[in-house]
């Protein structure tokens, strides 16, 4: 019996060792065949805000070092894109390929064109500084949804105390003329992403460990808020099947009904953000602590 037990244990270990990363982590229906998590680099201080350009390149921030890094989708190379980047955090490309960034240094929202010229889009709300724009998503119609939690920064020259009356979700109209609050009931909104048809918005309330889904009206207002998942998130993205990817302890994947369908473990203390990049949008690009990772997927991103 002992020999048989040892044999079965050894055989089970052999099978486990032969399993792919996807099989072991219950995400094989989402990942490419034999896909493995690849660490591209661990040379940064804290990575955040990945945004995909229309050519498939991914831009992300090395926030403590105040710079934006670019990953080339065709060359699989990393390079510094911009220094003195306003302590940018969350980022997103608009329809004109301007890089919109949550510039936390002076609590602003920036637009950076292809010549690296900066235009300040938002610098206050009703005459008071924002807490610190953190993440954003731009709808197909050009409206921007921006989360504004308070994370006090040691590099601020401002009064670090909150100058708004809470931590809210904002909307900037396509013509940039209206900047309004669209949810004032969140504890600490953080990650935000919408569907490619512009009809639904997902917002993570990391302070309450919940993620909500809203319906977006034609004028950009939000209605019919519903609990999507009993989990908060730092950053988030969506694939072409409508699955939503939340971050924190690795990457947790939920289907459009809010059921967890998979988990991607990352051996870091915190996974900050995620986006689909690459020319075919099948490269899942993950920022975590001082590192960046990629995972080849069967599903693809929608932007």
């Amino acid at each position: 019996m002992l020999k048989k037990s040892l044999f079965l244990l050894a055989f089970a270990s052999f099978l486990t060792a032969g399993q792919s990363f996807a099989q072991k982590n219950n995400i094989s229906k989402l990942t490419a065949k034999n896909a493995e998590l690849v660490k591209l680099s661990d040379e940064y201080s804290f990575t955040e805000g990945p945004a995909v350009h229309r050519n498939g390149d991914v831009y992300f921030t090395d926030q403590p070092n105040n710079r934006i890094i670019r990953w080339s989708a065709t060359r699989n190379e990393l390079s510094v894109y911009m220094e003195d980047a306003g302590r940018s955090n969350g980022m997103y490309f608009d329809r004109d390929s301007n890089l919109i960034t949550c510039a936390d240094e002076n609590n602003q929202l920036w637009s950076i064109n292809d010549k690296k010229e900066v235009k300040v889009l938002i610098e206050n709300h009703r005459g008071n500084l924002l807490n610190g724009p953190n993440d954003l998503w731009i709808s197909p119609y050009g409206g921007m949804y921006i989360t504004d939690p308070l994370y006090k920064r040691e590099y601020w020259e401002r009064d670090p105390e909150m100058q708004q009356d809470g931590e809210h979700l904002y909307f900037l109209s396509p013509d940039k003329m209206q900047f309004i609050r669209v949810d004032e009931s969140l504890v600490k909104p953080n990650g935000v992403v919408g569907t490619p048809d512009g009809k639904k918005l997902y917002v993570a309330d990391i302070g309450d460990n919940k993620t909500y889904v809203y319906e977006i009206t034609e004028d950009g207002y939000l209605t019919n808020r519903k609990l999507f998942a009993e989990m908060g998130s730092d950053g988030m993205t969506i694939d072409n099947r409508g699955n939503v990817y939340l971050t924190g302890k690795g990457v947790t994947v939920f289907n459009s009904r809010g059921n967890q369908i998979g988990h991607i473990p990352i051996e870091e203390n915190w996974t900050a953000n995620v986006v689909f990049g690459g020319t075919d949008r099948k490269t899942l690009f993950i920022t975590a602590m001082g590192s960046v990772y990629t995972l080849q997927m069967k599903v693809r991103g929608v932007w």
Side-chain angles (χ1 to χ4, degrees):
M1 285 293 293
L2 180 60
K3 288 184 177 180
K4 184 177 180 180
S5 297
L6 290 173
F7 170 77
L8 290 173
L9 180 62
F11 185 65
S13 299
F14 170 77
L15 289 177
T16 302
Q19 287 181 322
S20 70
F21 175 88
Q23 289 172 324
K24 285 187 288 185
N25 296 293
N26 195 30
I27 55 168
S28 58
K29 292 182 179 179
L30 302 176
T31 57
K33 186 177 181 180
N34 299 323
E36 296 290 337
L37 189 69
V38 176
K39 181 186 286 189
L40 293 181
S41 176
D42 59 4
E43 65 185 74
Y44 307 109
S45 294
F46 191 85
T47 57
E48 250 288 9
V52 60
H53 188 274
R54 64 176 60 183
N55 66 7
D57 290 355
V58 173
Y59 293 63
F60 65 95
T61 66
D62 183 10
Q63 209 266 357
N65 292 316
N66 197 18
R67 57 184 181 170
I68 297 172
I69 311 298
R70 176 171 58 193
W71 171 71
S72 168
T74 54
R75 298 190 302 275
N76 193 29
E77 293 177 352
L78 295 162
S79 60
V80 176
Y81 172 72
M82 185 178 182
E83 303 277 6
D84 298 322
R87 299 277 186 172
S88 289
N89 197 335
M91 306 192 295
Y92 203 93
F93 279 97
D94 69 13
R95 293 175 296 183
D96 298 319
S97 294
N98 299 307
L99 184 59
I100 311 301
T101 80
C102 294
D104 185 66
E105 185 170 26
N106 292 306
N107 316 102
Q108 299 171 336
L109 189 71
W110 282 11
S111 175
I112 305 171
N113 66 19
D114 57 6
K115 297 178 182 178
K116 302 180 188 178
E117 297 168 335
V118 173
K119 178 181 179 181
V120 177
L121 299 180
I122 296 295
E123 54 186 347
N124 65 71
H125 181 258
R126 297 175 183 171
N128 293 322
L129 287 176
L130 293 168
N131 299 316
N134 184 276
D135 203 0
L136 78 150
W137 176 74
I138 305 176
S139 81
Y141 311 106
M144 301 184 191
Y145 295 89
I146 303 143
T147 58
D148 186 44
L150 179 65
Y151 294 102
K152 296 179 182 180
R153 309 297 193 185
E154 62 181 16
Y155 49 76
W156 280 349
E157 297 181 1
R158 55 165 276 190
D159 179 350
E161 298 305 316
M162 186 182 300
Q163 297 179 40
Q164 296 294 323
D165 60 2
E167 303 176 53
H168 306 306
L169 174 67
Y170 292 81
F171 174 71
L172 179 63
S173 61
D175 61 7
K176 313 296 188 293
M177 299 300 291
Q178 282 188 302
F179 184 55
I180 58 175
R181 293 175 180 171
V182 286
D183 194 337
E184 297 180 320
S185 65
L186 300 166
V187 178
K188 189 178 287 292
N190 198 309
V192 57
V193 72
T195 54
D197 59 7
K199 294 183 178 180
K200 289 184 178 181
L201 185 75
Y202 296 88
V203 179
D205 188 347
I206 202 167
D208 199 27
N209 200 33
K210 290 178 173 59
T211 295
Y212 296 100
V213 59
Y214 306 74
E215 293 179 8
I216 303 174
T217 66
E218 289 186 5
D219 56 7
Y221 284 87
L222 303 176
T223 62
N224 197 26
R225 186 179 91 169
K226 294 180 180 178
L227 179 66
F228 175 72
E230 290 279 1
M231 176 181 170
S233 185
D234 198 338
M236 52 211 301
T237 194
I238 293 179
D239 68 26
N240 63 321
R241 296 181 186 173
N243 300 315
V244 181
Y245 297 65
L246 305 184
T247 60
K249 192 63 178 176
V251 180
T252 306
V253 188
F254 295 82
N255 64 21
S256 60
R257 296 181 298 278
N259 300 319
Q260 182 176 332
I261 60 172
H263 181 257
I264 303 169
I266 307 293
E267 293 185 3
E268 304 280 356
N269 290 333
W270 186 253
T271 300
N273 218 319
V274 63
V275 77
F276 282 89
T279 55
D280 59 1
R281 300 299 190 273
K282 287 188 175 182
T283 300
L284 193 65
F285 193 97
I286 302 165
T287 61
M289 300 303 289
S291 304
V292 286
Y293 296 81
T294 58
L295 181 64
Q296 297 307 308
M297 306 293 287
K298 185 182 302 179
V299 294
R300 59 166 54 91
V302 292
W303 299 289

